Amino acid sequence: MAAPSPSHSLARIHGALQLPLYDRCKEIKYIIEESSIKDLHSLLPMLLENIFGFNNTQGWGLKTISASWQPYDFVALRDFLSPNGPVMQTVYRLLVENIYRFEFPLKCLPWPSRCLIDEGAIPVLYMNKLQFLTNGQAADYILLNAFEYYLFHFSYYLVNAQHLRAGSYNWNTPTDALYIALVEEYMNYFLPAEGTGVPPIRTASTPLPSSPINSSKASYSSFQGSPFGSPKSREASPFSLRSFMRSGSQQQQQTPTTVEQSGGNQQETWRSETFLQIVAEMWLNQNSLETAQRYGFSPGSNTSHSAMPYSAHRQRFPGMARSSCYSYLRDAYTLPENVLPCQDHVKVIRMLVKHVHYFTNSVRPENISSLHQCHYGSYWDGFKRSAMSQEIQKKLYSFLKHSFLRWPLDYSFRLVLETWLSYVQPWRYFGGKDGESPTHKQETVQDRAVDAVWQQFVTDNLLFFTVLFQLFLPRVFRTDLSHPRNTYMLFRVCKVFSQMGLNTLIEQAECALTDVHYPLRHGYSPNKSFTHPAGRSSTAAVLRIQFAELEGPGFQYQPLFSLECENMIEQLLEDIQKAKAENQAVAAARSTSENQSWWAWLFSDAYYNDDLSPSEIKKTDTHLRQSEVYLRTIFDIKTDPARRKQVAWGPSSATSTPGPAAISSTLPDCIPGENGPQLTPLGRYQLMNGLRRFDITLRGNPDLQPIRSFECAPLVRLLHAFSTALNKKHHAAIAQVSEREDFVARILQQFLCCPVARSHAVPAPLVRWQPRISLRFAASYRNMAYAAVLGAAVYASGHGLFVFVLLLFLMALSYGAIGAVSTRSPRHKQQ
């Protein structure tokens, strides 16, 4: 029987795409099985574009299909796209001859990669995939084999702007969402934590496609014990940056039939390498600091940004660029293209980070039978050890840093926070039960100390522990710590960094950067290879190369355990104390409100947050107290709050005569001036970062206050005009009444308004306003509601307008009489 022609297969595919999803998958499966390889070359692009909604097509709804709402469609499409499903079998059939290539648009690649290609600095991933025109310029597409073509479509589906417009799909249950289930299935198949590699392709023995990661076996040797190696084998460890740079020049090709003695076939490993490369490229490389530096936005460049508030501030106070966390905020305004990931994107990134940790930690220890034996580890184990450092580390750092700088100040930032905390705790991700996915493994935070074997990981990822922590502090200063969700995020970070021994590992890594060794403060036994001068010098050199690789050549590192950072921690401790006091005030207000009568509550002006339940208030207080304990433990800060370190901020109130504005700890640092208090450089820094603020005090006409949300704007303006006319016409009589002390005068004084008492926080004088009549209280919706209730009661009783006005007059007279009796001297109502 002759094979169907390509036009016939295309017609059958077009007809199958009109069927319901369940029948569509079955029909396309039959068409694929009956088609030749030449036909599949024409069918695959059209099929993938239709599945993933490419080129403005609707797609099959991989983000919306769930197991709970569409169980049959969920199972059918998951089996259709599974690693052993019909689509993947089509991909493997097209790999047999290794001559078919597919065009993927260049515009769909991440912006940093497009910029590098335009410059001629082609990334390694696209080295053999670009096509050049006759004029020497790159074409607007790249050529991929079938496997790469499918993975690019699958990974681009998550970041495709066409599908992001629909918003987040709330993937809270990973097994319920189809796309998440496929991501997890692909990770378990191509990056298995157990076994010796990826299962071989069942269709035929395919040639080995060119893979950018074909490292030699020698670069994976000398790796024993911990998956990150001992300090003695740091130079040979592929997890260190030095080995990563060296292994790039030692690449060699192996024949497809080469199989290592201990397992791990390179012919099958290339699929795992390609999968990890492509998902890291499409999901993590959307914003690159390196590309921004190539366009003149590097930290050390002299590019002027006069419109940027921080640049102007840094030019005026150059010393601030080296202090605290401000040196890490320089890229906030300099990225030419800013792609803020959605929440679902961050959830997938966290799944990837956790799985790669499981994948790396599952490496098998090497067994060397003889000290004189030249032993090479398996290619598969070498790939496991280098997966995180070579493919994830740099791109994830740019991804997290950009998110720390750009993410909104709300509770959704916890997704980014948990991704960061998952990366810096690889010791949590070991093993798993048979048949249980590492992603779903129950995470239990262990209280035991972080073993010293993880020193190399902390050193190789020092910026994740220090720079990102210092970027987290400004976000804390800008959030309300009395809210339970914000408090919980602070608690999570403090709890992770307070693990026993972790602060010492970080300090040891920072100690290698100093010229003179200083004693460790936490009573933890230092590693001799790090404290020895030779070991410290080699570690410092590797760290400087790492800083230049991740941040750029002009990066100035600010130690975590420095004077400036500890001063910010002390300021944070003060904010925690204020949040605790506010939380206690809310709890007291709620308790008082629950104990008072409904009549007292009706006329009470007390306010408390009804959104917080008693259990949330208690939990917030617990998290604040524990966060305070953790911070004091991490930075070895004593309980004495008066211990303050001096920072070179220039003239401040600490070195001059303290004025009234310097008395309050809630005000920015000021010095007395000719026209009142003037901000110091420290005060400007505190004000810009939200560390301290001025008390908002009314200093103008009280009658011209902004209209509140609980007031009727037209009525406020009308009553103000009427009150102004009364005060202007009867100002002499009002002034005479305010000075009398008889009983009738005291009754009338209850309805007069006097200026606010002079503020001691701000030395500037306030204008004293004469006693006056203000009818603005009648524009309040609350008072209008009381009047409406009274009018309804009068109308229901069968009386008219006269009785209503009479009752209002009697109530006002009673109010004035009670106030006159309770005050024996002239009493002016303050506003």
Side-chain angles (χ1 to χ4, degrees):
M1 181 177 177
S5 62
S7 59
H8 178 67
S9 299
L10 289 175
R12 293 181 61 187
I13 285 288
H14 279 294
L17 293 177
Q18 307 303 322
L19 299 176
L21 184 59
Y22 184 83
D23 299 330
R24 187 188 314 166
C25 295
K26 294 177 59 178
E27 182 65 22
I28 294 178
K29 178 182 177 181
Y30 296 144
I31 297 175
I32 289 175
E33 293 175 351
E34 298 173 359
S35 300
S36 63
I37 296 180
K38 185 177 180 180
D39 297 338
L40 294 178
H41 179 252
S42 303
L43 297 180
L44 185 63
M46 181 183 63
L47 179 61
L48 295 186
E49 290 180 3
N50 193 271
I51 291 175
F52 297 107
F54 202 69
N55 288 333
N56 297 322
T57 56
Q58 185 176 0
W60 289 13
L62 272 65
K63 290 185 177 181
T64 58
I65 296 178
S66 63
S68 58
W69 291 97
Q70 302 109 329
Y72 296 105
D73 293 344
F74 180 89
V75 174
L77 192 52
R78 185 185 61 182
D79 295 340
F80 187 72
L81 299 176
S82 65
N84 293 317
V87 175
M88 197 60 68
Q89 291 300 319
T90 303
V91 170
Y92 292 154
R93 289 177 61 185
L94 290 169
L95 287 176
V96 173
E97 298 183 9
N98 199 23
I99 60 175
Y100 294 104
R101 292 294 182 265
F102 303 88
E103 296 180 1
F104 189 80
L106 199 65
K107 63 180 181 180
C108 298
L109 300 182
W111 177 82
S113 298
R114 300 200 308 266
C115 293
L116 293 177
I117 293 175
D118 291 340
E119 292 181 352
I122 303 176
V124 180
L125 180 61
Y126 310 103
M127 191 66 68
N128 301 323
K129 301 175 177 62
L130 283 175
Q131 297 297 312
F132 294 92
L133 304 177
T134 55
N135 56 2
Q137 295 183 353
D140 58 352
Y141 59 87
I142 56 176
L143 290 181
L144 307 171
N145 62 39
F147 184 73
E148 296 168 338
Y149 184 68
Y150 175 79
L151 290 181
F152 266 99
H153 271 286
F154 179 81
S155 57
Y156 179 71
Y157 181 76
L158 181 64
V159 297
N160 191 348
Q162 174 184 342
H163 304 294
L164 292 179
R165 298 189 187 101
S168 176
Y169 294 96
N170 195 19
W171 290 339
N172 294 327
T173 307
T175 56
D176 192 59
L178 177 59
Y179 190 81
I180 292 292
L182 289 173
V183 170
E184 183 181 8
E185 193 169 357
Y186 289 158
M187 290 192 299
N188 292 334
Y189 186 86
F190 295 111
L191 303 174
E194 304 296 335
T196 59
V198 183
I201 298 176
R202 286 187 255 176
T203 55
S205 177
T206 62
L208 178 65
S210 59
S211 175
I213 313 179
N214 287 330
S215 302
S216 63
K217 297 181 295 182
S219 64
Y220 298 138
S221 61
S222 302
F223 232 126
Q224 303 176 12
S226 167
F228 304 104
S230 61
K232 293 182 180 180
S233 64
R234 182 171 58 253
E235 294 187 10
S237 167
F239 215 86
S240 68
L241 184 63
R242 178 182 302 174
S243 176
F244 169 69
M245 297 178 61
R246 184 177 61 188
S247 64
S249 61
Q250 296 178 347
Q251 296 183 357
Q252 62 182 18
Q253 298 292 335
Q254 297 180 349
T255 60
T257 58
T258 301
V259 181
E260 309 298 339
Q261 297 178 357
S262 57
N265 190 345
Q266 183 180 358
Q267 181 178 358
E268 307 301 337
T269 305
W270 76 267
R271 286 184 290 160
S272 301
E273 298 173 349
T274 304
F275 171 78
L276 187 58
Q277 279 185 310
I278 293 177
V279 297
E281 169 73 9
M282 299 300 291
W283 293 347
L284 293 175
N285 198 31
Q286 296 296 324
N287 299 283
S288 174
L289 302 179
E290 177 184 1
T291 308
Q293 294 162 5
R294 285 176 177 267
Y295 279 83
F297 297 98
S298 61
S301 64
N302 297 325
T303 305
S304 175
H305 304 284
S306 58
M308 302 175 186
Y310 168 63
S311 298
H313 186 75
R314 184 175 61 180
Q315 292 174 2
R316 187 173 182 181
F317 303 102
M320 292 185 63
R322 300 186 300 270
S323 61
S324 187
C325 65
Y326 235 121
S327 61
Y328 303 128
L329 300 178
R330 63 186 181 277
D331 294 319
Y333 304 97
T334 59
L335 292 178
E337 180 175 307
N338 292 281
V339 179
L340 191 66
C342 63
Q343 299 183 27
D344 299 332
H345 186 179
V346 181
K347 292 177 183 178
V348 174
I349 294 302
R350 190 184 181 214
M351 288 178 56
L352 177 65
V353 169
K354 292 164 61 178
H355 189 92
V356 175
H357 272 319
Y358 278 112
F359 180 70
T360 302
N361 293 338
S362 65
V363 67
R364 298 175 301 176
E366 298 178 357
N367 297 322
I368 302 178
S369 58
S370 173
L371 295 177
H372 303 282
Q373 176 184 0
C374 183
H375 180 79
Y376 295 99
S378 70
Y379 189 88
W380 179 251
D381 289 344
F383 169 64
K384 281 187 175 182
R385 295 187 181 98
S386 62
M388 183 67 80
S389 62
Q390 292 190 10
E391 297 302 327
I392 302 297
Q393 182 191 43
K394 181 178 179 180
K395 296 174 182 177
L396 181 63
Y397 179 77
S398 299
F399 177 86
L400 291 176
K401 182 175 180 181
H402 180 266
S403 300
F404 271 62
L405 293 170
R406 293 290 184 176
W407 201 273
L409 292 173
D410 55 17
Y411 185 65
S412 63
F413 181 71
R414 186 188 170 188
L415 298 173
V416 180
L417 198 69
E418 294 296 340
T419 304
W420 170 47
L421 297 180
S422 296
Y423 180 82
V424 299
Q425 297 182 92
W427 46 85
R428 296 177 56 189
Y429 306 103
F430 272 96
K433 299 179 181 180
D434 295 338
E436 181 182 4
S437 171
T439 307
H440 293 159
K441 184 177 181 295
Q442 183 66 26
E443 300 176 12
T444 56
V445 180
Q446 302 175 354
D447 295 332
R448 58 185 175 87
V450 179
D451 197 275
V453 75
W454 297 103
Q455 176 67 72
Q456 187 59 45
F457 175 83
V458 174
T459 304
D460 290 340
N461 297 272
L462 184 61
L463 298 183
F464 284 87
F465 291 90
T466 58
V467 172
L468 295 183
F469 183 87
Q470 296 179 63
L471 286 178
F472 174 69
L473 292 180
R475 298 187 63 92
V476 178
F477 290 133
R478 291 181 174 92
T479 55
D480 182 12
L481 289 182
S482 62
H483 196 280
R485 291 185 171 182
N486 298 332
T487 305
Y488 182 73
M489 288 193 291
L490 175 63
F491 165 75
R492 285 285 294 125
V493 175
C494 295
K495 186 174 183 179
V496 169
F497 277 79
S498 66
Q499 296 179 81
M500 186 179 301
L502 179 58
N503 52 0
T504 304
L505 297 181
I506 299 174
E507 193 172 5
Q508 277 189 344
E510 291 188 338
C511 176
L513 294 172
T514 59
D515 297 331
V516 181
H517 174 65
Y518 58 91
L520 299 177
R521 302 170 299 168
H522 303 286
Y524 193 78
S525 58
N527 194 309
K528 294 183 179 180
S529 64
F530 277 79
T531 57
H532 192 272
R536 289 176 54 215
S537 60
S538 61
T539 303
V542 173
L543 285 176
R544 293 189 182 96
I545 297 175
Q546 181 192 97
F547 295 165
E549 179 74 13
L550 296 181
E551 284 283 356
F555 174 70
Q556 295 181 353
Y557 179 73
Q558 177 67 41
L560 182 64
F561 298 100
S562 61
L563 187 66
E564 291 81 0
C565 188
E566 290 188 6
N567 281 338
M568 295 192 68
I569 296 299
E570 291 183 354
Q571 180 63 49
L572 178 58
L573 292 175
E574 294 181 5
D575 292 350
I576 291 177
Q577 294 293 337
K578 297 175 185 177
K580 289 165 57 178
E582 183 178 351
N583 192 52
Q584 294 174 358
V586 171
R590 174 179 289 275
S591 177
T592 303
S593 177
E594 291 177 352
N595 296 329
Q596 67 183 358
S597 62
W598 70 272
W599 180 260
W601 171 85
L602 188 63
F603 292 97
S604 175
D605 293 331
Y607 170 79
Y608 61 89
N609 195 346
D610 290 323
D611 297 335
L612 300 181
S613 63
S615 60
E616 290 177 331
I617 295 176
K618 183 178 180 180
K619 187 181 299 184
T620 301
D621 186 71
T622 302
H623 288 160
L624 287 173
R625 294 179 185 276
Q626 291 179 345
S627 300
E628 181 180 6
V629 174
Y630 290 150
L631 287 173
R632 294 187 183 277
T633 302
I634 296 170
F635 293 92
D636 195 21
I637 298 178
K638 306 301 179 183
T639 56
D640 183 13
R643 185 177 70 90
R644 300 293 297 174
K645 294 182 176 68
Q646 298 295 328
V647 186
W649 291 102
S652 65
S653 59
T655 58
S656 60
T657 304
I663 298 176
S664 175
S665 61
T666 62
L667 298 178
D669 191 75
C670 303
I671 56 177
E674 297 180 356
N675 300 322
Q678 296 181 355
L679 286 173
T680 63
L682 174 59
R684 293 187 181 92
Y685 171 78
Q686 293 171 341
L687 191 63
M688 293 177 62
N689 287 272
L691 305 181
R692 296 185 180 183
R693 59 184 61 87
F694 286 105
D695 295 332
I696 301 177
T697 306
L698 179 65
R699 300 177 62 185
N701 188 348
D703 295 334
L704 298 179
Q705 299 181 40
I707 299 175
R708 271 68 167 183
S709 59
F710 55 84
E711 294 178 328
C712 179
L715 193 56
V716 169
R717 299 185 182 96
L718 181 62
L719 293 176
H720 173 68
F722 184 63
S723 301
T724 302
L726 289 178
N727 293 325
K728 185 176 180 180
K729 183 176 182 180
H730 305 286
H731 67 279
I734 294 175
Q736 183 180 5
V737 169
S738 63
E739 296 177 356
R740 290 166 48 187
E741 296 186 3
D742 55 279
F743 183 74
V744 176
R746 289 205 301 270
I747 292 178
L748 297 177
Q749 290 169 6
Q750 308 305 315
F751 305 98
L752 299 181
C753 294
C754 286
V756 185
R758 175 170 175 164
S759 174
H760 297 284
V762 181
L766 298 175
V767 179
R768 184 171 182 83
W769 300 92
Q770 296 296 328
R772 65 205 182 279
I773 297 174
S774 178
L775 302 177
R776 183 169 177 170
F777 69 93
S780 172
Y781 289 121
R782 182 177 182 178
N783 295 333
M784 293 168 62
Y786 291 158
V789 171
L790 179 61
V794 171
Y795 179 79
S797 61
H799 297 86
L801 181 62
F802 175 78
V803 176
F804 175 72
V805 176
L806 180 63
L807 288 177
L808 289 178
F809 176 76
L810 293 177
M811 292 174 64
L813 184 61
S814 302
Y815 171 80
I818 295 174
V821 171
S822 60
T823 56
R824 296 182 177 275
S825 59
R827 176 181 176 272
H828 298 306
K829 196 178 177 184
Q830 292 187 358
Q831 183 172 331

